[in-house]
Amino acid sequence: MILYQTKYYSTLYISDMFKIVLSLILISASLLVKAQHPPVFDAMTSDSSFIKVSDLDISLVKYSYKPNGVKFLVVHDNEDTGVKAGFDYIRWYGGELIDSQYGGVRDYTFTYMDDPYRIDPNAIYTETGVKTRLKKDAYSSNEVEKLILNAGKQIVDFYNPKATGYFLTLHNNADGGFGISSYLPGYDLSSTADSVFINFEMDGDDLLYVTEPRLFTSLKKANVNVILQSKFAENDGSLSVYAMINHIPYINVEVQHGHLEENLRLIEIAVATLKEHGLIKKDYLPVQKDTLGKATTQ
């Protein structure tokens, strides 16, 4: 009888320990997933919109602090330097940032009717782009294209460029893999660019990308790496192509992963350019810290 009870309690103990360990693993995994996104600071609010593409769940989280007409959009879930820089800007000046969250990876990856699919979330804003860039099996369902186009529409609607007046996106790249030189004659993306201005004192991976000549001219005067998209650029489904087709001013701040200070500097220049051309209607005084370290306005 004693042996039976001992065995019973040992089994129960092991079972309980297994549950505890499993719970700790799940909690740790959850924290790791959330850790890629910057912590929300005091007084910042958030609201979300949810998108479902077959078995893929996408959360669009809009972080807000002192909304002032400045609004950022991040479409890739593995480009967190841009998110952190956007948060730094909002902390000091106010604004909004929409962050796409779907597992900390670059591409949308999902299955539909047991068939695998993959697409870059910066290729889902035009029908032509989805048809040419969706990676799928030869006999896959066309219903998937409708799901993806609808996801792109939901992202655009949540950002609401008609009310905002522009697109201001944040992207990050890897060291040496992509940069301002990619748009020069003879290189992969040369046909995408109408004009290119290079500041050779800057890292070639840090740049701005625009769709309107007036924005290009202002950023060139600011002496930063900048590319003007060609009106003959291939319809690749990207947000910049969507913006050009729909006559919406577009600026992308593209910075190498880890270049946080430069990312913030280029964000400030991009916002100043939008204000210069009257595209940001509202204004808000920058947030300062008083002697106690509390946020104040001047």
Side-chain angles (χ1 to χ4, degrees):
M1 184 67 178
I2 295 175
L3 289 175
Y4 173 78
Q5 286 182 333
T6 302
K7 182 178 180 181
Y8 173 78
Y9 289 135
S10 298
T11 303
L12 184 62
Y13 174 77
I14 292 171
S15 176
D16 288 342
M17 285 299 296
F18 176 77
K19 291 178 181 178
I20 292 171
V21 171
L22 180 60
S23 297
L24 289 173
I25 291 172
L26 292 174
I27 291 171
S28 298
S30 174
L31 290 174
L32 285 172
V33 170
K34 294 181 179 178
Q36 65 180 308
H37 303 290
V40 177
F41 53 82
D42 289 344
M44 176 176 270
T45 61
S46 66
D47 65 273
S48 301
S49 179
F50 302 98
I51 302 172
K52 192 166 185 66
V53 179
S54 190
D55 57 357
L56 174 65
D57 294 316
I58 305 161
S59 297
L60 302 178
V61 185
K62 181 168 69 175
Y63 299 99
S64 302
Y65 177 61
K66 303 288 187 181
N68 56 6
V70 175
K71 187 187 293 183
F72 305 103
L73 175 62
V74 180
V75 300
H76 291 124
D77 196 15
N78 67 335
E79 299 182 350
D80 292 317
T81 298
V83 178
K84 292 174 183 176
F87 267 52
D88 285 345
Y89 180 92
I90 292 171
R91 182 189 296 273
W92 295 111
Y93 300 98
E96 299 170 289
L97 184 149
I98 295 174
D99 185 27
S100 303
Q101 301 178 7
Y102 50 91
V105 295
R106 179 180 177 84
D107 289 349
Y108 290 168
T109 303
F110 58 94
T111 59
Y112 181 84
M113 301 292 288
D114 295 326
D115 291 322
Y117 294 85
R118 181 163 63 89
I119 192 168
D120 185 329
N122 195 28
I124 65 173
Y125 302 99
T126 70
E127 186 174 348
T128 299
V130 170
K131 286 182 179 296
T132 57
R133 297 185 65 185
L134 178 64
K135 296 174 176 61
K136 59 182 180 178
D137 290 339
Y139 302 103
S140 299
S141 171
N142 290 331
E143 289 298 315
V144 172
E145 294 178 7
K146 296 179 182 178
L147 290 174
I148 294 171
L149 282 168
N150 183 61
K153 182 179 184 302
Q154 286 182 259
I155 292 171
V156 170
D157 289 347
F158 194 57
Y159 185 86
N160 195 4
K162 290 183 179 179
T164 305
Y166 59 87
F167 281 112
L168 177 52
T169 62
L170 305 176
H171 285 272
N172 297 131
N173 57 57
D175 185 17
F178 163 86
I180 192 79
S181 62
S182 303
Y183 295 89
L184 295 175
Y187 288 83
D188 292 344
L189 299 174
S190 60
S191 63
T192 304
D194 175 279
S195 303
V196 178
F197 174 79
I198 300 177
N199 175 349
F200 290 98
E201 294 182 357
M202 289 178 60
D203 189 310
D205 296 325
D206 302 335
L207 57 93
L208 294 107
Y209 185 99
V210 301
T211 57
E212 294 194 356
R214 57 176 174 163
L215 301 178
F216 177 84
T217 299
S218 294
L219 292 168
K220 180 179 177 180
K221 289 179 180 177
N223 196 31
V224 293
N225 292 337
V226 58
I227 299 148
L228 172 63
Q229 179 172 278
S230 170
K231 61 182 179 180
F232 302 111
E234 178 188 358
N235 185 344
D236 59 358
S238 62
L239 196 59
S240 63
V241 167
Y242 173 91
M244 179 171 279
I245 291 172
N246 290 279
H247 308 290
I248 303 169
Y250 173 97
I251 296 184
N252 172 42
V253 180
E254 178 89 32
V255 173
Q256 182 182 319
H257 285 286
H259 288 190
L260 184 59
E261 291 185 6
E262 182 69 346
N263 208 333
L264 179 57
R265 183 179 81 91
L266 293 181
I267 284 174
E268 291 174 337
I269 291 172
V271 171
T273 299
L274 290 170
K275 288 183 176 180
E276 175 188 342
H277 294 282
L279 296 171
I280 296 177
K281 306 300 182 183
K282 299 179 182 179
D283 202 0
Y284 181 75
L285 293 174
V287 179
Q288 301 290 337
K289 286 186 177 180
D290 61 19
T291 55
L292 298 177
K294 296 180 180 179
T296 62
T297 57
Q298 62 175 12

